PDB file of all heavy atoms in Angstrom:
ATOM      1  N   GLU F 629     -61.730 -16.296 -68.560  1.00 92.00           N
ATOM      2  CA  GLU F 629     -60.464 -16.542 -69.079  1.00 92.00           C
ATOM      3  C   GLU F 629     -59.386 -16.529 -68.002  1.00 92.00           C
ATOM      4  O   GLU F 629     -58.626 -17.518 -67.955  1.00 92.00           O
ATOM      5  CB  GLU F 629     -60.153 -15.482 -70.184  1.00 92.00           C
ATOM      6  CG  GLU F 629     -58.736 -15.657 -70.756  1.00 92.00           C
ATOM      7  CD  GLU F 629     -58.344 -16.717 -71.526  1.00 92.00           C
ATOM      8  OE1 GLU F 629     -59.364 -17.433 -71.984  1.00 92.00           O
ATOM      9  OE2 GLU F 629     -57.295 -17.093 -71.619  1.00 92.00           O
ATOM     10  N   THR F 630     -59.392 -15.601 -67.156  1.00 92.00           N
ATOM     11  CA  THR F 630     -58.469 -15.600 -66.058  1.00 92.00           C
ATOM     12  C   THR F 630     -58.651 -16.669 -65.111  1.00 92.00           C
ATOM     13  O   THR F 630     -57.715 -17.447 -64.660  1.00 92.00           O
ATOM     14  CB  THR F 630     -58.596 -14.160 -65.261  1.00 92.00           C
ATOM     15  OG1 THR F 630     -58.305 -13.111 -66.166  1.00 92.00           O
ATOM     16  CG2 THR F 630     -57.557 -14.219 -64.145  1.00 92.00           C
ATOM     17  N   ALA F 631     -59.909 -16.934 -64.738  1.00 94.00           N
ATOM     18  CA  ALA F 631     -60.279 -18.068 -63.830  1.00 94.00           C
ATOM     19  C   ALA F 631     -59.805 -19.399 -64.389  1.00 94.00           C
ATOM     20  O   ALA F 631     -59.124 -20.256 -63.738  1.00 94.00           O
ATOM     21  CB  ALA F 631     -61.806 -18.094 -63.531  1.00 94.00           C
ATOM     22  N   LEU F 632     -60.095 -19.595 -65.665  1.00 94.00           N
ATOM     23  CA  LEU F 632     -59.687 -20.968 -66.275  1.00 94.00           C
ATOM     24  C   LEU F 632     -58.236 -21.057 -66.383  1.00 94.00           C
ATOM     25  O   LEU F 632     -57.616 -22.062 -66.125  1.00 94.00           O
ATOM     26  CB  LEU F 632     -60.237 -21.090 -67.600  1.00 94.00           C
ATOM     27  CG  LEU F 632     -60.055 -22.443 -68.386  1.00 94.00           C
ATOM     28  CD1 LEU F 632     -60.431 -23.491 -67.536  1.00 94.00           C
ATOM     29  CD2 LEU F 632     -60.696 -22.313 -69.709  1.00 94.00           C
ATOM     30  N   GLU F 633     -57.453 -19.968 -66.719  1.00 92.00           N
ATOM     31  CA  GLU F 633     -56.045 -20.022 -66.828  1.00 92.00           C
ATOM     32  C   GLU F 633     -55.396 -20.297 -65.408  1.00 92.00           C
ATOM     33  O   GLU F 633     -54.356 -21.016 -65.401  1.00 92.00           O
ATOM     34  CB  GLU F 633     -55.470 -18.639 -67.484  1.00 92.00           C
ATOM     35  CG  GLU F 633     -54.020 -18.708 -67.731  1.00 92.00           C
ATOM     36  CD  GLU F 633     -53.440 -19.821 -68.479  1.00 92.00           C
ATOM     37  OE1 GLU F 633     -54.274 -20.633 -69.170  1.00 92.00           O
ATOM     38  OE2 GLU F 633     -52.239 -20.061 -68.518  1.00 92.00           O
ATOM     39  N   ARG F 634     -55.839 -19.651 -64.498  1.00 93.00           N
ATOM     40  CA  ARG F 634     -55.452 -19.950 -63.125  1.00 93.00           C
ATOM     41  C   ARG F 634     -55.563 -21.495 -62.696  1.00 93.00           C
ATOM     42  O   ARG F 634     -54.707 -22.030 -62.020  1.00 93.00           O
ATOM     43  CB  ARG F 634     -56.126 -19.077 -61.978  1.00 93.00           C
ATOM     44  CG  ARG F 634     -55.734 -17.459 -62.124  1.00 93.00           C
ATOM     45  CD  ARG F 634     -56.177 -16.920 -60.908  1.00 93.00           C
ATOM     46  NE  ARG F 634     -56.064 -15.471 -61.050  1.00 93.00           N
ATOM     47  CZ  ARG F 634     -54.923 -14.654 -61.075  1.00 93.00           C
ATOM     48  NH1 ARG F 634     -53.788 -15.298 -60.749  1.00 93.00           N
ATOM     49  NH2 ARG F 634     -54.838 -13.362 -61.184  1.00 93.00           N
ATOM     50  N   THR F 635     -56.654 -22.051 -63.113  1.00 95.00           N
ATOM     51  CA  THR F 635     -56.881 -23.388 -62.877  1.00 95.00           C
ATOM     52  C   THR F 635     -55.928 -24.274 -63.732  1.00 95.00           C
ATOM     53  O   THR F 635     -55.411 -25.291 -63.214  1.00 95.00           O
ATOM     54  CB  THR F 635     -58.301 -23.790 -63.302  1.00 95.00           C
ATOM     55  OG1 THR F 635     -59.100 -23.162 -62.250  1.00 95.00           O
ATOM     56  CG2 THR F 635     -58.582 -25.310 -63.079  1.00 95.00           C
ATOM     57  N   ASN F 636     -55.619 -23.791 -64.988  1.00 94.00           N
ATOM     58  CA  ASN F 636     -54.698 -24.540 -65.828  1.00 94.00           C
ATOM     59  C   ASN F 636     -53.331 -24.601 -65.133  1.00 94.00           C
ATOM     60  O   ASN F 636     -52.587 -25.635 -65.036  1.00 94.00           O
ATOM     61  CB  ASN F 636     -54.501 -23.743 -67.197  1.00 94.00           C
ATOM     62  CG  ASN F 636     -55.697 -24.099 -68.085  1.00 94.00           C
ATOM     63  OD1 ASN F 636     -56.519 -24.955 -68.022  1.00 94.00           O
ATOM     64  ND2 ASN F 636     -55.906 -23.126 -68.992  1.00 94.00           N
ATOM     65  N   LYS F 637     -52.882 -23.414 -64.678  1.00 92.00           N
ATOM     66  CA  LYS F 637     -51.537 -23.323 -64.060  1.00 92.00           C
ATOM     67  C   LYS F 637     -51.568 -24.207 -62.685  1.00 92.00           C
ATOM     68  O   LYS F 637     -50.594 -24.809 -62.390  1.00 92.00           O
ATOM     69  CB  LYS F 637     -51.246 -21.798 -63.682  1.00 92.00           C
ATOM     70  CG  LYS F 637     -50.904 -20.993 -64.844  1.00 92.00           C
ATOM     71  CD  LYS F 637     -50.717 -19.514 -64.419  1.00 92.00           C
ATOM     72  CE  LYS F 637     -50.280 -18.719 -65.692  1.00 92.00           C
ATOM     73  NZ  LYS F 637     -49.102 -19.204 -66.280  1.00 92.00           N
ATOM     74  N   LYS F 638     -52.576 -24.134 -61.949  1.00 94.00           N
ATOM     75  CA  LYS F 638     -52.727 -24.976 -60.797  1.00 94.00           C
ATOM     76  C   LYS F 638     -52.625 -26.433 -61.109  1.00 94.00           C
ATOM     77  O   LYS F 638     -51.936 -27.173 -60.518  1.00 94.00           O
ATOM     78  CB  LYS F 638     -54.032 -24.720 -60.084  1.00 94.00           C
ATOM     79  CG  LYS F 638     -54.253 -25.545 -58.738  1.00 94.00           C
ATOM     80  CD  LYS F 638     -55.471 -25.017 -58.005  1.00 94.00           C
ATOM     81  CE  LYS F 638     -56.775 -25.244 -58.764  1.00 94.00           C
ATOM     82  NZ  LYS F 638     -57.960 -24.775 -58.043  1.00 94.00           N
ATOM     83  N   PHE F 639     -53.250 -26.805 -62.172  1.00 95.00           N
ATOM     84  CA  PHE F 639     -53.277 -28.261 -62.539  1.00 95.00           C
ATOM     85  C   PHE F 639     -51.889 -28.647 -62.997  1.00 95.00           C
ATOM     86  O   PHE F 639     -51.298 -29.748 -62.713  1.00 95.00           O
ATOM     87  CB  PHE F 639     -54.265 -28.581 -63.687  1.00 95.00           C
ATOM     88  CG  PHE F 639     -54.283 -30.082 -64.085  1.00 95.00           C
ATOM     89  CD1 PHE F 639     -55.130 -30.862 -63.692  1.00 95.00           C
ATOM     90  CD2 PHE F 639     -53.405 -30.390 -65.152  1.00 95.00           C
ATOM     91  CE1 PHE F 639     -55.148 -32.224 -64.030  1.00 95.00           C
ATOM     92  CE2 PHE F 639     -53.488 -31.741 -65.504  1.00 95.00           C
ATOM     93  CZ  PHE F 639     -54.309 -32.702 -65.049  1.00 95.00           C
ATOM     94  N   ILE F 640     -51.235 -27.754 -63.851  1.00 95.00           N
ATOM     95  CA  ILE F 640     -49.780 -28.057 -64.278  1.00 95.00           C
ATOM     96  C   ILE F 640     -48.870 -28.222 -63.129  1.00 95.00           C
ATOM     97  O   ILE F 640     -48.017 -29.156 -63.126  1.00 95.00           O
ATOM     98  CB  ILE F 640     -49.453 -26.943 -65.328  1.00 95.00           C
ATOM     99  CG1 ILE F 640     -50.236 -27.058 -66.526  1.00 95.00           C
ATOM    100  CG2 ILE F 640     -47.823 -26.984 -65.604  1.00 95.00           C
ATOM    101  CD1 ILE F 640     -49.946 -25.949 -67.456  1.00 95.00           C
ATOM    102  N   LYS F 641     -48.986 -27.291 -62.197  1.00 94.00           N
ATOM    103  CA  LYS F 641     -48.089 -27.332 -60.913  1.00 94.00           C
ATOM    104  C   LYS F 641     -48.311 -28.766 -60.205  1.00 94.00           C
ATOM    105  O   LYS F 641     -47.318 -29.280 -59.841  1.00 94.00           O
ATOM    106  CB  LYS F 641     -48.368 -26.202 -60.053  1.00 94.00           C
ATOM    107  CG  LYS F 641     -47.473 -26.044 -58.863  1.00 94.00           C
ATOM    108  CD  LYS F 641     -47.760 -24.780 -58.089  1.00 94.00           C
ATOM    109  CE  LYS F 641     -46.803 -24.676 -56.879  1.00 94.00           C
ATOM    110  NZ  LYS F 641     -47.151 -23.526 -56.073  1.00 94.00           N
ATOM    111  N   ARG F 642     -49.553 -29.097 -59.994  1.00 95.00           N
ATOM    112  CA  ARG F 642     -49.755 -30.435 -59.241  1.00 95.00           C
ATOM    113  C   ARG F 642     -49.277 -31.524 -60.103  1.00 95.00           C
ATOM    114  O   ARG F 642     -48.657 -32.451 -59.454  1.00 95.00           O
ATOM    115  CB  ARG F 642     -51.231 -30.508 -59.019  1.00 95.00           C
ATOM    116  CG  ARG F 642     -51.833 -29.533 -57.969  1.00 95.00           C
ATOM    117  CD  ARG F 642     -53.334 -29.665 -57.837  1.00 95.00           C
ATOM    118  NE  ARG F 642     -54.011 -28.700 -56.905  1.00 95.00           N
ATOM    119  CZ  ARG F 642     -55.202 -28.559 -56.728  1.00 95.00           C
ATOM    120  NH1 ARG F 642     -56.008 -29.303 -57.298  1.00 95.00           N
ATOM    121  NH2 ARG F 642     -55.662 -27.670 -55.814  1.00 95.00           N
ATOM    122  N   PHE F 643     -49.543 -31.528 -61.360  1.00 95.00           N
ATOM    123  CA  PHE F 643     -49.070 -32.612 -62.211  1.00 95.00           C
ATOM    124  C   PHE F 643     -47.512 -32.753 -62.267  1.00 95.00           C
ATOM    125  O   PHE F 643     -47.140 -33.842 -62.328  1.00 95.00           O
ATOM    126  CB  PHE F 643     -49.689 -32.494 -63.673  1.00 95.00           C
ATOM    127  CG  PHE F 643     -49.600 -33.740 -64.430  1.00 95.00           C
ATOM    128  CD1 PHE F 643     -50.631 -34.723 -64.341  1.00 95.00           C
ATOM    129  CD2 PHE F 643     -48.587 -34.004 -65.294  1.00 95.00           C
ATOM    130  CE1 PHE F 643     -50.590 -35.842 -65.059  1.00 95.00           C
ATOM    131  CE2 PHE F 643     -48.590 -35.120 -66.022  1.00 95.00           C
ATOM    132  CZ  PHE F 643     -49.490 -36.117 -66.007  1.00 95.00           C
ATOM    133  N   ASN F 644     -46.891 -31.548 -62.498  1.00 95.00           N
ATOM    134  CA  ASN F 644     -45.422 -31.570 -62.338  1.00 95.00           C
ATOM    135  C   ASN F 644     -44.953 -32.159 -61.073  1.00 95.00           C
ATOM    136  O   ASN F 644     -43.955 -32.934 -61.072  1.00 95.00           O
ATOM    137  CB  ASN F 644     -44.919 -30.123 -62.458  1.00 95.00           C
ATOM    138  CG  ASN F 644     -44.969 -29.698 -63.946  1.00 95.00           C
ATOM    139  OD1 ASN F 644     -45.252 -30.346 -64.875  1.00 95.00           O
ATOM    140  ND2 ASN F 644     -44.945 -28.411 -64.041  1.00 95.00           N
ATOM    141  N   TYR F 645     -45.552 -31.890 -59.932  1.00 94.00           N
ATOM    142  CA  TYR F 645     -45.231 -32.450 -58.632  1.00 94.00           C
ATOM    143  C   TYR F 645     -45.373 -34.038 -58.646  1.00 94.00           C
ATOM    144  O   TYR F 645     -44.469 -34.800 -58.102  1.00 94.00           O
ATOM    145  CB  TYR F 645     -46.021 -31.828 -57.398  1.00 94.00           C
ATOM    146  CG  TYR F 645     -45.711 -32.468 -56.089  1.00 94.00           C
ATOM    147  CD1 TYR F 645     -44.793 -31.938 -55.451  1.00 94.00           C
ATOM    148  CD2 TYR F 645     -46.482 -33.404 -55.646  1.00 94.00           C
ATOM    149  CE1 TYR F 645     -44.493 -32.365 -54.107  1.00 94.00           C
ATOM    150  CE2 TYR F 645     -46.122 -33.936 -54.409  1.00 94.00           C
ATOM    151  CZ  TYR F 645     -45.215 -33.421 -53.575  1.00 94.00           C
ATOM    152  OH  TYR F 645     -44.978 -34.063 -52.345  1.00 94.00           O
ATOM    153  N   LEU F 646     -46.518 -34.468 -59.291  1.00 94.00           N
ATOM    154  CA  LEU F 646     -46.730 -35.795 -59.311  1.00 94.00           C
ATOM    155  C   LEU F 646     -45.690 -36.466 -59.983  1.00 94.00           C
ATOM    156  O   LEU F 646     -45.220 -37.565 -59.689  1.00 94.00           O
ATOM    157  CB  LEU F 646     -48.278 -36.101 -59.962  1.00 94.00           C
ATOM    158  CG  LEU F 646     -48.619 -37.427 -60.418  1.00 94.00           C
ATOM    159  CD1 LEU F 646     -48.566 -38.437 -59.289  1.00 94.00           C
ATOM    160  CD2 LEU F 646     -49.968 -37.378 -61.109  1.00 94.00           C
ATOM    161  N   GLU F 647     -45.299 -35.968 -61.183  1.00 93.00           N
ATOM    162  CA  GLU F 647     -44.303 -36.641 -62.104  1.00 93.00           C
ATOM    163  C   GLU F 647     -42.826 -36.680 -61.330  1.00 93.00           C
ATOM    164  O   GLU F 647     -42.203 -37.650 -61.419  1.00 93.00           O
ATOM    165  CB  GLU F 647     -44.102 -35.796 -63.233  1.00 93.00           C
ATOM    166  CG  GLU F 647     -45.244 -35.992 -64.240  1.00 93.00           C
ATOM    167  CD  GLU F 647     -45.008 -35.061 -65.563  1.00 93.00           C
ATOM    168  OE1 GLU F 647     -44.759 -33.903 -65.484  1.00 93.00           O
ATOM    169  OE2 GLU F 647     -45.145 -35.536 -66.622  1.00 93.00           O
ATOM    170  N   ALA F 648     -42.665 -35.649 -60.566  1.00 94.00           N
ATOM    171  CA  ALA F 648     -41.381 -35.573 -59.912  1.00 94.00           C
ATOM    172  C   ALA F 648     -41.360 -36.557 -58.730  1.00 94.00           C
ATOM    173  O   ALA F 648     -40.284 -37.263 -58.575  1.00 94.00           O
ATOM    174  CB  ALA F 648     -41.158 -34.081 -59.234  1.00 94.00           C
ATOM    175  N   GLU F 649     -42.412 -36.646 -58.070  1.00 93.00           N
ATOM    176  CA  GLU F 649     -42.463 -37.666 -56.979  1.00 93.00           C
ATOM    177  C   GLU F 649     -42.463 -39.088 -57.395  1.00 93.00           C
ATOM    178  O   GLU F 649     -41.690 -40.042 -56.728  1.00 93.00           O
ATOM    179  CB  GLU F 649     -43.706 -37.410 -56.082  1.00 93.00           C
ATOM    180  CG  GLU F 649     -43.664 -36.080 -55.299  1.00 93.00           C
ATOM    181  CD  GLU F 649     -42.408 -35.876 -54.413  1.00 93.00           C
ATOM    182  OE1 GLU F 649     -42.166 -36.798 -53.648  1.00 93.00           O
ATOM    183  OE2 GLU F 649     -41.719 -35.008 -54.626  1.00 93.00           O
ATOM    184  N   ALA F 650     -43.139 -39.193 -58.459  1.00 92.00           N
ATOM    185  CA  ALA F 650     -43.017 -40.664 -59.120  1.00 92.00           C
ATOM    186  C   ALA F 650     -41.645 -41.071 -59.500  1.00 92.00           C
ATOM    187  O   ALA F 650     -41.205 -42.174 -59.305  1.00 92.00           O
ATOM    188  CB  ALA F 650     -43.998 -40.746 -60.275  1.00 92.00           C
ATOM    189  N   LYS F 651     -40.815 -40.130 -60.082  1.00 92.00           N
ATOM    190  CA  LYS F 651     -39.511 -40.281 -60.518  1.00 92.00           C
ATOM    191  C   LYS F 651     -38.636 -40.656 -59.371  1.00 92.00           C
ATOM    192  O   LYS F 651     -37.744 -41.413 -59.504  1.00 92.00           O
ATOM    193  CB  LYS F 651     -39.081 -38.971 -61.266  1.00 92.00           C
ATOM    194  CG  LYS F 651     -37.642 -39.129 -61.926  1.00 92.00           C
ATOM    195  CD  LYS F 651     -37.302 -37.956 -62.629  1.00 92.00           C
ATOM    196  CE  LYS F 651     -35.980 -38.313 -63.444  1.00 92.00           C
ATOM    197  NZ  LYS F 651     -35.465 -37.000 -64.262  1.00 92.00           N
ATOM    198  N   LYS F 652     -38.914 -40.004 -58.192  1.00 92.00           N
ATOM    199  CA  LYS F 652     -38.097 -40.280 -56.977  1.00 92.00           C
ATOM    200  C   LYS F 652     -38.205 -41.767 -56.533  1.00 92.00           C
ATOM    201  O   LYS F 652     -37.162 -42.247 -55.995  1.00 92.00           O
ATOM    202  CB  LYS F 652     -38.517 -39.347 -55.860  1.00 92.00           C
ATOM    203  CG  LYS F 652     -38.200 -37.899 -56.042  1.00 92.00           C
ATOM    204  CD  LYS F 652     -38.658 -37.027 -54.821  1.00 92.00           C
ATOM    205  CE  LYS F 652     -38.300 -35.692 -54.977  1.00 92.00           C
ATOM    206  NZ  LYS F 652     -38.749 -34.815 -53.882  1.00 92.00           N
ATOM    207  N   ILE F 653     -39.246 -42.395 -56.772  1.00 92.00           N
ATOM    208  CA  ILE F 653     -39.404 -43.674 -56.357  1.00 92.00           C
ATOM    209  C   ILE F 653     -39.259 -44.701 -57.477  1.00 92.00           C
ATOM    210  O   ILE F 653     -39.656 -45.850 -57.438  1.00 92.00           O
ATOM    211  CB  ILE F 653     -40.914 -43.903 -55.706  1.00 92.00           C
ATOM    212  CG1 ILE F 653     -42.036 -43.736 -56.716  1.00 92.00           C
ATOM    213  CG2 ILE F 653     -41.089 -43.223 -54.428  1.00 92.00           C
ATOM    214  CD1 ILE F 653     -43.400 -44.044 -56.156  1.00 92.00           C
TER     215      ILE F 653
END
């Protein structure tokens, strides 16, 4: 459960970065 939740958080952080960078362009 902890391992999967850490991966969830990692994915969300990366996806949020992707959204922010796309918005910049």
Side-chain angles (χ1 to χ4, degrees):
E629 169 69 18
T630 301
L632 182 57
E633 182 56 14
R634 291 192 189 284
T635 296
N636 288 338
K637 288 180 176 294
K638 180 173 62 178
F639 182 91
I640 291 169
K641 184 177 180 181
R642 291 177 183 177
F643 195 83
N644 287 343
Y645 178 87
L646 168 59
E647 290 177 311
E649 293 303 307
K651 188 175 182 180
K652 287 180 182 178
I653 62 173

